[in-house]
Amino acid sequence: MRPCIKSSEIPKELKGDLPVISNTICNERFCTICPYYGGVYQKKRRCMLVSCAWDVASEIFHPSLKRMLAIAKEECSDAEKYYLNKKKRVDLLEQMFEKELKEDEKKNKKCYGCPYGAVQPCIGICYADLAGRRRKV
């Protein structure tokens, strides 16, 4: 059995082109639990396959589903553009506040082995930095 999409992900325009399943066949073969069941559109049950593959080893999808590939690629490129715009904005803000972010990171970093750091925020001159590396506690 090949992987397939969920019936809820199929656009309504494409669902109308899918083959119709008769009520008797649907009741006999329990089509509603089949992974290739395309859902109900215009009060008719639909299937994603050209012919029912309940007992057939070859699974041939209906050609109208091929149009979903172009739709999915377009959605993916739109999402990628949206992501890149947001990423560019974050990078720009990080560049603008690079010094302030480093200072904030130093203030929030916990000192180890420093008698001053136990009671006060770090001033940047740590015993560990003077020793050359931080000691593990």
Side-chain angles (χ1 to χ4, degrees):
M1 186 175 290
R2 290 192 283 171
C4 62
I5 59 172
K6 296 178 183 175
S7 64
S8 60
E9 296 174 351
I10 301 173
K12 290 182 180 179
E13 304 84 35
L14 297 179
K15 262 191 188 179
D17 296 338
L18 293 178
V20 177
I21 309 169
S22 68
N23 289 335
T24 56
I25 291 175
C26 188
N27 293 336
E28 287 174 5
R29 298 185 182 177
F30 302 104
C31 289
T32 54
I33 61 171
C34 178
Y36 303 118
Y37 180 65
V40 178
Y41 183 72
Q42 296 176 343
K43 298 181 181 181
K44 295 179 182 176
R45 295 174 178 167
R46 309 287 176 151
C47 185
M48 288 189 246
L49 301 173
V50 173
S51 61
C52 187
W54 188 265
D55 297 323
V56 181
S58 62
E59 301 164 339
I60 303 169
F61 291 101
H62 196 267
S64 64
L65 288 176
K66 196 182 289 185
R67 288 188 281 164
M68 279 191 67
L69 185 60
I71 295 169
K73 283 184 179 180
E74 185 178 334
E75 289 175 354
C76 185
S77 67
D78 291 344
E80 189 175 2
K81 288 176 188 174
Y82 179 78
Y83 168 75
L84 291 175
N85 286 338
K86 294 294 182 183
K87 178 70 173 151
K88 189 186 294 184
R89 186 183 303 166
V90 168
D91 291 343
L92 180 65
L93 287 169
E94 283 179 348
Q95 288 176 357
M96 289 171 59
F97 296 104
E98 185 176 2
K99 291 179 183 176
E100 290 86 350
L101 290 172
K102 285 183 181 178
E103 289 175 11
D104 289 344
E105 189 178 320
K106 277 185 182 179
K107 288 178 186 176
N108 294 332
K109 193 189 298 184
K110 189 173 181 181
C111 289
Y112 296 103
C114 177
Y116 182 77
V119 291
Q120 297 291 328
C122 183
I123 58 173
I125 304 171
C126 294
Y127 176 75
D129 290 339
L130 293 174
R133 69 173 97 129
R134 299 193 136 206
R135 291 186 300 162
K136 291 185 180 178
V137 176

Coordinates of all heavy atoms in Angstrom, one line a residue, residues 87-125:
K87 N 13.2 35.6 8.5 CA 14.6 35.3 8.9 C 15.4 36.5 8.6 O 16.3 36.9 9.4 CB 15.1 34.1 8.1 CG 16.5 33.7 8.4 CD 16.7 33.1 9.7 CE 18.1 32.6 9.9 NZ 18.5 32.7 11.3
K88 N 15.2 37.2 7.5 CA 16.0 38.4 7.2 C 15.7 39.5 8.2 O 16.7 40.2 8.6 CB 15.6 38.9 5.8 CG 16.4 40.1 5.3 CD 15.9 40.6 4.0 CE 15.9 39.7 2.8 NZ 15.5 40.3 1.6
R89 N 14.5 39.6 8.7 CA 14.2 40.6 9.7 C 14.9 40.3 11.0 O 15.4 41.2 11.7 CB 12.7 40.7 9.9 CG 12.2 41.8 10.9 CD 10.8 41.8 11.1 NE 10.0 41.9 9.9 CZ 8.7 41.7 9.8 NH1 8.0 41.4 10.8 NH2 8.1 41.9 8.6
V90 N 14.9 39.0 11.4 CA 15.5 38.6 12.6 C 17.0 38.8 12.6 O 17.6 39.4 13.5 CB 15.2 37.1 13.0 CG1 16.1 36.6 14.0 CG2 13.8 36.9 13.3
D91 N 17.6 38.5 11.4 CA 19.1 38.7 11.3 C 19.4 40.2 11.3 O 20.4 40.6 11.9 CB 19.5 38.1 9.9 CG 19.5 36.6 9.9 OD1 19.4 36.0 11.0 OD2 19.5 36.0 8.8
L92 N 18.6 41.0 10.7 CA 18.8 42.5 10.7 C 18.7 43.0 12.2 O 19.6 43.8 12.6 CB 17.8 43.2 9.8 CG 17.9 44.7 9.8 CD1 19.2 45.1 9.1 CD2 16.7 45.3 9.0
L93 N 17.7 42.6 12.9 CA 17.6 43.0 14.3 C 18.8 42.5 15.2 O 19.3 43.3 16.0 CB 16.3 42.5 14.9 CG 15.1 43.3 14.4 CD1 13.8 42.6 14.8 CD2 15.1 44.7 14.9
E94 N 19.2 41.3 14.9 CA 20.4 40.8 15.7 C 21.6 41.6 15.3 O 22.5 41.8 16.2 CB 20.6 39.3 15.3 CG 19.6 38.4 16.0 CD 19.9 36.9 15.7 OE1 20.6 36.6 14.8 OE2 19.3 36.1 16.4
Q95 N 21.8 42.0 14.1 CA 23.0 42.8 13.7 C 22.9 44.2 14.4 O 23.9 44.7 14.8 CB 23.1 43.0 12.2 CG 23.5 41.7 11.5 CD 23.5 41.9 10.0 OE1 23.1 42.9 9.5 NE2 23.9 40.8 9.3
M96 N 21.7 44.8 14.4 CA 21.5 46.1 15.0 C 21.8 46.1 16.5 O 22.4 47.0 17.0 CB 20.0 46.6 14.8 CG 19.7 46.9 13.4 SD 18.0 47.2 13.1 CE 17.6 48.6 14.2
F97 N 21.4 45.0 17.2 CA 21.6 45.0 18.6 C 22.7 43.9 19.1 O 22.6 43.4 20.1 CB 20.3 44.7 19.3 CG 19.2 45.7 19.1 CD1 18.2 45.5 18.2 CD2 19.3 46.9 19.8 CE1 17.3 46.5 18.0 CE2 18.4 47.9 19.5 CZ 17.3 47.7 18.6
E98 N 23.6 43.7 18.2 CA 24.7 42.7 18.5 C 25.4 43.0 19.8 O 25.6 42.1 20.7 CB 25.6 42.6 17.3 CG 26.7 41.5 17.5 CD 27.5 41.5 16.2 OE1 27.4 42.3 15.3 OE2 28.4 40.6 16.2
K99 N 25.8 44.2 20.0 CA 26.6 44.6 21.2 C 25.7 44.4 22.5 O 26.1 43.9 23.5 CB 27.1 46.0 21.1 CG 28.2 46.2 20.1 CD 28.7 47.6 20.1 CE 29.8 47.8 19.0 NZ 30.2 49.2 18.9
E100 N 24.5 44.9 22.4 CA 23.6 44.8 23.5 C 23.2 43.4 23.9 O 23.2 43.0 25.1 CB 22.3 45.6 23.3 CG 22.5 47.1 23.2 CD 22.9 47.6 21.8 OE1 23.2 46.8 21.0 OE2 22.9 48.9 21.7
L101 N 23.1 42.5 22.9 CA 22.8 41.1 23.1 C 23.9 40.4 23.8 O 23.7 39.6 24.7 CB 22.4 40.4 21.8 CG 21.0 40.8 21.2 CD1 20.9 40.2 19.8 CD2 19.9 40.4 22.1
K102 N 25.2 40.8 23.4 CA 26.3 40.2 24.0 C 26.4 40.6 25.5 O 26.8 39.8 26.4 CB 27.6 40.5 23.3 CG 27.8 39.7 22.0 CD 29.1 40.1 21.3 CE 29.2 39.3 20.0 NZ 30.4 39.6 19.3
E103 N 26.2 41.9 25.7 CA 26.2 42.4 27.1 C 25.1 41.7 28.0 O 25.4 41.4 29.1 CB 26.1 43.9 27.1 CG 27.2 44.6 26.6 CD 27.0 46.1 26.5 OE1 26.0 46.6 27.1 OE2 27.8 46.8 25.9
D104 N 24.0 41.6 27.4 CA 22.9 40.9 28.2 C 23.2 39.5 28.5 O 22.9 38.9 29.5 CB 21.6 41.0 27.4 CG 21.0 42.3 27.3 OD1 21.4 43.2 28.1 OD2 20.1 42.6 26.5
E105 N 23.9 38.8 27.5 CA 24.3 37.4 27.7 C 25.3 37.3 28.8 O 25.3 36.4 29.6 CB 24.9 36.9 26.4 CG 25.1 35.4 26.4 CD 25.6 34.9 25.1 OE1 25.1 35.3 24.0 OE2 26.6 34.0 25.1
K106 N 26.3 38.3 28.9 CA 27.3 38.3 29.9 C 26.6 38.5 31.3 O 27.0 37.9 32.3 CB 28.3 39.4 29.7 CG 29.4 39.0 28.7 CD 30.4 40.1 28.7 CE 31.5 39.8 27.7 NZ 32.5 40.9 27.6
K107 N 25.6 39.4 31.3 CA 24.9 39.7 32.6 C 24.2 38.5 33.1 O 24.1 38.2 34.3 CB 24.0 40.9 32.5 CG 24.7 42.2 32.3 CD 23.7 43.3 32.1 CE 24.3 44.6 31.8 NZ 23.4 45.7 31.5
N108 N 23.6 37.7 32.2 CA 22.8 36.6 32.6 C 23.6 35.3 32.8 O 23.1 34.4 33.4 CB 21.7 36.3 31.5 CG 20.7 37.5 31.4 OD1 20.5 38.2 32.4 ND2 20.1 37.6 30.3
K109 N 24.8 35.3 32.4 CA 25.7 34.1 32.5 C 26.1 34.0 34.0 O 26.4 35.0 34.6 CB 26.9 34.3 31.7 CG 27.7 32.9 31.6 CD 29.0 33.1 30.9 CE 29.0 33.6 29.5 NZ 30.3 33.6 28.8
K110 N 26.0 32.8 34.5 CA 26.3 32.6 35.9 C 27.8 32.3 36.1 O 28.4 31.6 35.3 CB 25.5 31.4 36.4 CG 25.6 31.2 37.9 CD 24.6 30.1 38.3 CE 24.7 29.9 39.8 NZ 23.8 28.8 40.3
C111 N 28.4 32.9 37.1 CA 29.8 32.8 37.4 C 30.0 31.6 38.3 O 29.2 31.4 39.2 CB 30.4 34.0 38.0 SG 30.6 35.4 36.8
Y112 N 31.1 30.9 38.2 CA 31.4 29.8 39.1 C 32.8 30.0 39.7 O 33.7 30.4 39.0 CB 31.4 28.4 38.3 CG 30.1 28.0 37.8 CD1 29.8 28.2 36.4 CD2 29.1 27.5 38.6 CE1 28.5 27.9 35.9 CE2 27.9 27.2 38.1 CZ 27.6 27.3 36.8 OH 26.3 27.0 36.3
G113 N 32.9 29.8 40.9 CA 34.2 29.9 41.6 C 34.6 31.4 41.9 O 35.7 31.6 42.3
C114 N 33.7 32.3 41.7 CA 34.1 33.7 41.9 C 33.3 34.2 43.1 O 32.1 34.1 43.2 CB 33.7 34.5 40.6 SG 33.9 36.3 40.8
P115 N 34.0 34.7 44.1 CA 33.3 35.2 45.3 C 32.4 36.4 45.0 O 31.3 36.5 45.6 CB 34.4 35.6 46.3 CG 35.6 35.7 45.5 CD 35.4 34.9 44.2
Y116 N 32.7 37.2 44.0 CA 31.9 38.3 43.7 C 30.6 37.9 43.0 O 29.5 38.4 43.2 CB 32.7 39.3 42.8 CG 31.9 40.6 42.4 CD1 31.7 41.6 43.3 CD2 31.3 40.7 41.2 CE1 31.0 42.7 43.0 CE2 30.6 41.8 40.8 CZ 30.4 42.8 41.8 OH 29.7 43.9 41.4
G117 N 30.7 36.9 42.1 CA 29.6 36.4 41.3 C 28.5 35.7 42.1 O 27.4 35.5 41.7
A118 N 28.9 35.3 43.3 CA 27.9 34.5 44.2 C 26.8 35.5 44.7 O 25.7 35.0 45.0 CB 28.6 33.9 45.3
V119 N 27.1 36.8 44.8 CA 26.2 37.7 45.4 C 25.8 38.8 44.4 O 24.8 39.5 44.7 CB 26.7 38.3 46.7 CG1 26.8 37.3 47.8 CG2 28.1 39.0 46.5
Q120 N 26.5 39.0 43.4 CA 26.2 40.1 42.5 C 26.2 39.6 41.0 O 26.8 38.6 40.7 CB 27.4 41.2 42.6 CG 27.4 41.9 43.9 CD 26.2 42.8 44.2 OE1 25.7 43.3 43.3 NE2 25.8 42.8 45.5
P121 N 25.7 40.4 40.1 CA 25.8 40.0 38.7 C 27.2 40.1 38.2 O 28.0 40.9 38.7 CB 24.8 41.0 37.9 CG 24.5 42.0 38.9 CD 24.8 41.6 40.3
C122 N 27.5 39.4 37.2 CA 28.9 39.3 36.6 C 29.3 40.7 36.1 O 28.5 41.4 35.4 CB 29.0 38.3 35.6 SG 30.7 38.1 34.9
I123 N 30.5 41.1 36.3 CA 31.1 42.3 35.8 C 32.0 42.1 34.6 O 32.6 43.0 34.0 CB 31.8 43.2 36.9 CG1 32.9 42.4 37.5 CG2 30.8 43.7 37.9 CD1 33.8 43.2 38.4
G124 N 32.2 40.8 34.3 CA 33.0 40.5 33.1 C 34.4 40.1 33.5 O 35.2 39.7 32.6
I125 N 34.9 40.3 34.7 CA 36.2 39.9 35.1 C 36.0 38.8 36.1 O 35.8 39.0 37.3 CB 37.0 41.1 35.8 CG1 37.0 42.3 34.8 CG2 38.4 40.7 36.2 CD1 37.5 43.6 35.4

